[in-house]
Amino acid sequence: MTAVESRPAGVALTPSPVGQRPFGARIKAFVALTKPRIIELLLITTVPVMFLAAQGVPDLWLVVTTTIGGYLSAGGANALNMYIDRDIDALMDRTSQRPLVTGMVSPRECLAFGIALAVISTAWFGLFVNWLSAALALGALLFYVVIYTMLLKRRTSQNIVWGGIAGCMPVLIGWSAVTNSMSWAAVILFAVIFFWTPPHYWPLSMKVKDDYARVGVPMLPVVASNQVVARQIVIYSWVMVGVSLLLTPLGYTGWFYTLVAVLTGGFWLWEAHGLQNRAKSGVTGTKLKEMRLFHWSITYVSLLFVAVAVDPFLR
């Protein structure tokens, strides 16, 4: 593991005095610990799968309880991630305003908050959804905190590949919430998110690779050239699109999902190959336009999973 300085000059990791931490700002800081924008993506993959599992509209109270449990569980994982990464967050531009760095929340408060959310979310799933979903949610949390954050992130350029498994779990949780079982449909959608995660995150890593290099985190763009990263993005993109098309021949989806998967997947491949061509040509800086694929990746997964939810009503 690469050792990094615990704090840069001029940035304190100790909490601000109580008088400088107004109540409203503190509430916002604790909400920020859960990384709400990331959780939005997780819920986008959870709720539509519940519609597919129910082959129609699932029990709405079940959707609400699953969504709440998912937020609490992912929020706990994100808070614990910030607690562990507080040293490098203080050194990176993109994370310099996180609550632990600014001192709005103390490390002890963050740790207690994360553990509390982990315990509450597991109990919530078990009591209001089912214990299979509770086990999957707890497994995802532990995988993200222990396997990704503590073991992989600072050790290998494949960190986001295997660490991304935690982000795939909401698909299984959504399916198990409805059926209290597993299915090949859920496994296929799990695989879609697994192969989606690296080409989703690597373009962002290309943009902020200097940040990661500064703190010794070996994200692939830090240790490999743009050409190598772009080639890996293209490979994962083709596999992702191919896997997404398996649902229809196996009888889980119909024409609507297939149409959306082909059109959105085709545009994704267009963008991925465009990035590879620019990288091969030696383009750097803003002209590389790596963030175009990053932004499209969010739109892609949103549209694909909306199609998962809508498709049962059109068959």
Side-chain angles (χ1 to χ4, degrees):
M1 181 181 295
T2 304
V4 297
E5 186 179 320
S6 61
R7 65 180 178 89
V11 177
L13 286 176
T14 54
S16 304
V18 174
Q20 297 179 17
R21 295 188 288 165
F23 180 76
R26 291 265 287 162
I27 294 298
K28 290 181 180 179
F30 277 99
V31 171
L33 288 177
T34 67
K35 301 182 185 178
R37 296 196 67 182
I38 292 177
I39 293 177
E40 288 176 14
L41 278 177
L42 299 180
L43 297 181
I44 283 173
T45 62
T46 304
V47 176
V49 172
M50 298 179 73
F51 280 76
L52 182 63
Q55 283 298 296
V57 180
D59 179 85
L60 295 183
W61 173 245
L62 182 62
V63 173
V64 171
T65 54
T66 303
T67 300
I68 293 173
Y71 187 95
L72 294 174
S73 181
N78 289 330
L80 293 171
N81 168 267
M82 286 198 198
Y83 172 79
I84 295 165
D85 279 351
R86 63 192 186 279
D87 58 337
I88 60 176
D89 282 350
L91 296 168
M92 296 175 64
D93 291 338
R94 63 184 290 264
T95 56
S96 62
Q97 295 304 307
R98 286 181 172 175
L100 287 179
V101 179
T102 62
M104 191 59 66
V105 177
S106 72
R108 180 178 295 181
E109 290 171 331
C110 180
L111 178 61
F113 182 64
I115 293 173
L117 288 182
V119 173
I120 293 169
S121 64
T122 303
W124 178 277
F125 268 116
L127 295 174
F128 297 111
V129 183
N130 57 57
W131 288 104
L132 174 58
S133 297
L136 290 170
L138 180 60
L141 184 150
L142 293 175
F143 195 97
Y144 182 69
V145 173
V146 178
I147 303 300
Y148 172 67
T149 305
M150 296 179 68
L151 298 180
L152 295 177
K153 185 173 182 177
R154 308 192 196 193
R155 286 184 170 90
T156 172
S157 62
Q158 295 299 300
N159 47 23
I160 200 64
V161 176
W162 301 108
I165 289 175
C168 306
M169 296 297 281
V171 172
L172 303 184
I173 293 169
W175 190 277
S176 68
V178 174
T179 67
N180 200 21
S181 64
M182 280 293 102
S183 163
W184 280 112
V187 173
I188 290 169
L189 289 171
F190 176 100
V192 170
I193 299 300
F194 177 81
F195 290 109
W196 170 85
T197 302
H200 156 70
Y201 198 79
W202 280 334
L204 175 62
S205 300
M206 295 170 79
K207 179 75 173 179
V208 298
K209 66 181 180 181
D210 291 341
D211 253 1
Y212 284 117
R214 186 182 309 125
V215 297
V217 174
M219 289 293 179
L220 185 62
V222 173
V223 301
S225 66
N226 287 342
Q227 294 93 323
V228 171
V229 177
R231 183 169 66 248
Q232 289 294 309
I233 286 173
V234 167
I235 292 171
Y236 275 90
S237 297
W238 273 99
V239 176
M240 176 198 71
V241 173
V243 170
S244 74
L245 296 174
L246 292 177
L247 285 175
T248 301
L250 292 178
Y252 293 110
T253 53
W255 68 269
F256 180 74
Y257 169 84
T258 304
L259 179 63
V260 173
V262 168
L263 292 178
T264 57
F267 189 76
W268 176 300
L269 293 175
W270 174 271
E271 286 290 346
H273 279 279
L275 176 60
Q276 183 182 37
N277 291 336
R278 292 189 293 275
K280 282 182 176 180
S281 300
V283 173
T284 58
T286 57
K287 292 183 179 180
L288 186 59
K289 300 178 181 178
E290 67 281 334
M291 292 299 286
R292 281 176 51 172
L293 183 58
F294 172 78
H295 292 305
W296 170 248
S297 69
I298 298 173
T299 303
Y300 168 83
V301 79
S302 301
L303 292 176
L304 188 73
F305 276 81
V306 167
V308 167
V310 172
D311 189 84
F313 299 98
L314 301 177
R315 298 183 65 188

